[in-house]
């Protein structure tokens, strides 16, 4: 007889924890109030992207001046960000242990997404150069199908497709900024041009999601083939907004990669991004395939009774109280709903746990109007607010031995500046799920 496992949070961190528990043979329930940050992601999967202005996430080795990929960056992160979740988990084991854990977690993610034909391309030893819709470049390690195919590394020319009618897409603005980025980073010569598609992708003004839904229809492949006919030759990359279907994106982009050209999507942001939606759909399919029981509702409070946890429904929710011997909390931050801000300050609603910034200073209970950054260019303290954890990912101030934290809910890093968002969710989600499974295997309670 196995103890009961419960995960709260249905973003990447919660799904990863639930899927690892299920893989270990434990029946698992997952409570999810709705989409969080995972469903909004732009398209890169950053284990540790280079971040301008963050010394521990450089893209060049500060001493040698040579290019630095994520496997090297993680060494700087471990020594420069003592409260980052990666450092909490792998600070003692060092960079090689963290790199191995990241590789293993990405392999797990690939296996969950493969049945939905959503790919995770890249590796920790190579920088990928991914253009955003605004024309800036993200220097990172992994990307999801769509933006993954838009990697500029090794390309001879960038062709940015005008797609009149697709809301939020400005090919010329994207090109102008991209030219400056390429020059500023010393990546040239790499010509950038704007090209007209042979036929429109949208019917009048339409959102990216509507265009993508149309391209999922029976004529979608033909429309794309005709629109891109004769555009781009060997070595060139054609950039589109995120419109290449809500599903089968990788298959279509590969089908369009004829004559040595590549076709990919730029990294985009809500409401013009579909990468997060595709990711969330693929994760939900993986939960169903693993027979994880999903309750789509909001938890209100977690109570601790000895070694057992009881999770009450939030006001207006009607599920029965959930009991668990192993509980993983992966409720995200402000976007996900794991932290809330009000006139009385920021707070963690499920257990009322203390919240800290990356220096370990308490930030809960400080009214938002007093949580101001020290000066222009300095980090905003609330962006890094989160629950502090020990080396086992147990929240330091939480009662009991059967509770683990995962994802953005964990403090010690600022996802807006330190580009480790989905990587942190994945690596801590896998680790929390495995620890919870080991706890149950050991006979908890
Ligand atoms: C606009 C945007 C773009 C981004 N782009 C990128 C990118 O390109 N690459 C990258 O690596 N990272 C990116 N990030 C960061 C990344 O998306 C997040 O770091 C990551 O998705 C966090 O995952 P999570 O599972 O911890 O939280 P979330 O995805 O926020 O999930 C939290 C979950 O908890 C649930 N929840 C919360 N409270 C409760 C409750 N009381 N009861 C039940 N359920 C609850 C929510 O409903 C949700 O399901 C981006 C973030 C944003 C906001």
């Amino acid at each position: 007889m196995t103890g009961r496992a419960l995960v709260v949070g249905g973003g990447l961190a919660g799904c990863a924890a639930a899927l690892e528990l299920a893989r270990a043979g434990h029946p698992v329930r997952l409570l999810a109030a709705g989409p969080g940050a995972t469903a909004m992601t732009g398209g890169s999967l950053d284990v540790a992207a280079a971040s301008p202005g963050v010394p521990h996430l450089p893209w060049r080795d500060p001493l040698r001046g040579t290019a630095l990929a994520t496997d090297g960056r993680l060494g700087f992160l471990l020594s420069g960000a003592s409260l980052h979740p990666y450092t909490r988990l792998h600070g003692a084991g060092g960079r090689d242990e963290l790199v191995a854990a990241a590789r293993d977690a990405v392999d797990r993610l690939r296996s969950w997404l493969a049945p939905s034909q959503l790919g995770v391309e890249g590796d920790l030893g190579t920088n990928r150069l991914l253009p955003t819709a605004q024309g800036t470049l993200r220097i990172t390690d992994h990307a999801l199908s769509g933006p993954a195919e838009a990697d500029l590394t090794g390309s001879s020319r960038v062709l940015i497709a005008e797609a009149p009618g697709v809301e939020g897409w400005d090919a010329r603005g994207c090109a102008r900024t991209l030219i400056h980025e390429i020059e500023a980073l010393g990546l040239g010569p790499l010509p950038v041009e704007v090209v007209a598609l042979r036929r429109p992708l949208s019917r009048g003004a339409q959102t990216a999601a509507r265009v993508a839904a149309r391209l999922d229809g029976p004529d979608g492949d033909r429309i794309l083939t005709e629109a891109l006919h004769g555009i781009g030759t060997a070595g060139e990359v054609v950039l589109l907004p995120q419109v290449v279907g809500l599903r089968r994106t990788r298959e279509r982009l590969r089908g369009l990669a004829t004559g040595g050209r590549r076709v990919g999507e730029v990294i985009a942001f809500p409401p013009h991004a579909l990468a997060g939606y595709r990711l969330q759909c693929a994760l939900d399919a993986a939960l169903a395939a693993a027979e994880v029981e999903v309750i789509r509702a909001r938890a209100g409070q977690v109570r601790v009774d000895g070694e057992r946890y009881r999770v009450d429904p939030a006001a207006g929710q009607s599920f029965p109280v959930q009991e668990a011997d192993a509980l993983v909390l992966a409720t995200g931050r402000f976007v996900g709903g794991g932290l809330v801000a009000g006139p009385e300050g920021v707070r963690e609603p499920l257990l009322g746990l203390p919240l800290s910034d990356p220096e370990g200073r308490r930030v809960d209970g400080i009214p938002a109007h007093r949580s101001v950054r020290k000066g222009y260019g300095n980090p905003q303290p609330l962006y890094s607010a989160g629950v502090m954890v020990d080396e086992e990912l147990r929240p330091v101030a939480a009662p009991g031995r059967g509770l683990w934290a995962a994802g953005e809910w964990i403090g010690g890093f600022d996802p807006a500046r330190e580009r480790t968002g989905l990587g942190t969710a994945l690596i801590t989600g896998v680790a929390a799920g495995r620890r919870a499974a080991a706890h149950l295997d050991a006979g908890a309670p």
Side-chain angles (χ1 to χ4, degrees):
M1 175 66 187
T2 163
R4 277 166 289 190
L6 179 69
V7 175
V8 186
L12 177 57
C15 292
L19 289 164
E20 283 302 296
L21 273 154
R23 183 174 177 236
H26 297 285
V28 48
R29 282 185 181 171
L30 181 140
L31 262 171
T38 300
M40 298 184 184
T41 48
S44 63
L45 187 132
D46 307 324
V47 171
S51 291
V54 179
H56 56 263
L57 289 167
W59 86 283
R60 283 196 182 281
D61 188 310
L63 295 177
R64 297 191 188 89
T66 48
L68 196 69
T70 291
D71 51 3
R73 255 192 301 281
L74 289 174
F76 285 90
L77 185 145
L78 287 180
S79 54
S82 62
L83 294 180
H84 191 287
Y86 291 167
T87 316
R88 304 306 292 161
L89 261 177
H90 297 291
R95 187 185 68 121
D96 290 350
E97 184 188 285
L98 172 55
V99 167
R103 289 208 168 105
D104 173 53
V106 171
D107 283 347
R108 301 295 312 131
L109 179 64
R110 286 189 173 120
S111 73
W112 302 327
L113 304 186
S116 296
Q117 299 189 27
L118 185 65
V120 182
E121 312 299 338
D123 61 85
L124 297 176
T126 321
N127 280 326
R128 299 178 87 84
L129 301 171
L130 303 178
T132 69
Q134 288 71 31
T136 54
L137 272 176
R138 186 163 297 183
I139 302 175
T140 191
D141 39 82
H142 293 86
L144 299 164
S145 297
E149 284 75 12
D151 183 9
L152 302 189
T153 316
S155 58
S156 57
R157 194 161 64 129
V158 185
L159 302 173
I160 306 184
E162 275 187 322
V166 178
E167 287 177 9
W169 177 235
D170 172 12
R172 288 179 188 279
C174 176
R176 268 195 302 275
T177 307
L178 189 55
I179 289 166
H180 285 294
E181 290 274 298
I182 289 168
E183 199 182 304
L185 289 166
L187 300 172
L190 178 56
V192 177
E193 284 171 33
V194 175
V195 291
L197 291 175
R198 305 288 183 242
R199 62 170 290 179
L201 298 178
S202 70
R203 290 198 182 108
Q206 284 187 315
T207 62
R210 272 216 177 279
V211 177
R214 177 178 180 225
L215 295 177
D216 276 339
D219 294 336
D221 289 354
R222 186 172 53 78
I223 293 170
L224 280 166
T225 305
E226 289 175 6
L228 287 155
H229 180 73
I231 297 176
T233 55
E236 298 182 344
V237 186
V238 185
L239 300 183
L240 294 172
Q242 287 193 7
V243 292
V244 187
L246 299 168
R247 52 192 173 79
R248 288 183 50 235
T249 305
R250 177 174 58 179
E251 190 188 325
R252 275 149 186 219
L253 289 172
R254 287 187 178 170
L256 292 167
T258 51
R261 76 172 176 193
R262 282 184 289 122
V263 181
E265 295 177 332
V266 291
I267 289 182
F269 301 96
H272 310 298
L274 299 179
Y277 174 83
R278 294 174 189 141
L279 173 61
Q280 189 68 60
C281 289
L283 289 169
D284 290 347
L287 292 176
E291 297 181 3
V292 173
E293 189 184 336
V294 178
I295 303 172
R296 304 250 168 233
R298 181 171 294 280
Q301 199 194 355
V302 175
R303 290 175 289 134
V304 190
D305 177 6
E307 287 298 315
R308 179 155 294 173
Y309 297 88
R310 294 201 164 81
V311 179
D312 297 327
Q317 309 282 304
S318 62
F319 63 87
V321 173
Q322 298 293 308
E323 296 201 342
D325 303 302
L327 175 64
V328 177
L329 294 180
T331 49
R333 292 197 188 167
F334 300 105
V335 175
L339 304 185
V340 290
E344 74 289 1
V346 185
R347 63 187 177 85
E348 186 285 305
L350 292 180
L351 280 152
L353 292 175
L355 303 171
S356 312
D357 71 7
E359 272 82 51
R361 289 181 297 244
R362 290 278 297 268
V363 292
D364 52 300
I366 300 176
H369 69 271
R370 281 184 42 216
S371 298
V372 290
R373 54 187 183 177
K374 284 184 199 143
Y376 186 73
N378 284 320
Q380 156 57 260
L382 290 187
Y383 288 173
S384 48
V387 170
M388 298 318 295
V389 295
D390 65 14
E391 297 73 19
E392 290 292 310
L393 292 184
R394 288 191 172 100
V396 287
R401 301 288 300 158
L403 173 64
W404 290 267
E408 262 194 8
W409 193 59
I410 303 174
F413 74 114
D414 174 350
R417 293 179 71 238
E418 298 173 271
R419 301 227 168 103
T420 57
L422 286 173
T424 301
L426 176 64
I427 292 166
T428 58
V430 166
R434 287 184 186 166
R435 280 164 172 73
H439 181 71
L440 294 174
D441 289 340

